[in-house]
Amino acid sequence: MALSLIENPVPWPNGAKCAVAITFDIDTDSMLHLHYPDKAQDMIAAYSFLQYDEIAIPRILKVYRHFDIKQTFFYPAWCMERYPHLVDAILKDGHEIAAHGYLHENPNDVSREREEYWLDKQTDVILRMTGQKPRGWRAPLYNASRWSIDLLAERGFLYDASLMGDDIPYVLNTAKGDLVTLPTHWAMDDWPHYAHALEFDYVMSIKAPDDAMKVFHSEFEAMHKHGGMLITVWHPFVSGRLARLDRVVTWIEQMLNYGDVWFATMEGIALHVKKCIDDGSWTPRVDQLPYYEGRIPEWEREEDG
Ligand SMILES: [Zn+2]
């Protein structure tokens, strides 16, 4: 018998061995305006790198239609307002749109009040443009603050998608209530494999799609073997580039051929997890938040010592 490395796998629907969500964050040029508010209008080449979303998003939707799968797009709300035709195309195909900041602002850089303001602003846009409040949220840059989960729980969000603490979902308990988090990790992000963007101080040697896919696929094989969950954090202007998405098509085919892989939206996964918790068929690990209220007492400042 194979040695199982996940102690408490989720019973996935229909006996599936693992859940897969290929999620994209549609940041487009939000970051450009955030980093260069007074210069963005002159940064035409940088804009064109991000503007590739116009090509990549319809292409990704075509791939999903081909395989008849529904997936989740995390969307800074400013990008939705700026490019509403892309939102319409995503909704027309029945995919989920989830929250990802307003202008991709970093929750670690702002006060609780300011974070609340941005969260409500993005929620309003998503409600207005999709007819539904967002069910999930991924922190821009994964930078969930010590308040983020409280704010989400308070507003009735179903899941968070910002954390990296496990291979399977876990529950975050806060003063404002509980929230399921659907974790991923850096290996499943496309920036470390492909992104070379001087403007954002991100300079990586670019991998061949086959090499990046080796990383993604070994993650998939292990998740499939041990009953985990695979969540990509990809960007249309990065992974939707021709050679990369061409390789993704082969990869999806390969995963579907296993016959026991559950492709789902993040909302679908979170709802399933909640159902398993509610009917007692699975008991999650529960983390108490915040992990720290402030500076740990053992840490002594040099000026005190
Ligand atoms: Zn992002």
Side-chain angles (χ1 to χ4, degrees), residues 142-162:
Y142 302 100
N143 281 339
S145 77
R146 88 177 109 133
W147 304 299
S148 300
I149 307 300
D150 290 59
L151 298 179
L152 297 172
E154 202 171 37
R155 284 159 179 73
F157 273 75
L158 176 64
Y159 68 89
D160 162 74
S162 316

Side-chain angles (χ1 to χ4, degrees), residues 25 27 100 104 235:
D25 295 358
D27 300 337
H100 188 49
H104 211 262
H235 305 77

Side-chain angles (χ1 to χ4, degrees), residues 180-228:
V180 171
T181 187
L182 305 178
T184 184
H185 69 126
W186 276 109
M188 295 311 302
D189 193 306
D190 56 5
W191 276 72
H193 300 292
Y194 292 137
H196 179 84
L198 294 169
E199 296 80 10
F200 304 115
D201 302 320
Y202 211 99
V203 183
M204 305 299 294
S205 60
I206 294 170
K207 283 184 188 166
D210 275 340
D211 292 336
M213 277 299 158
K214 262 189 212 160
V215 176
F216 300 140
H217 191 65
S218 37
E219 292 293 326
F220 166 74
E221 280 182 314
M223 291 300 184
H224 181 264
K225 186 171 172 187
H226 299 285

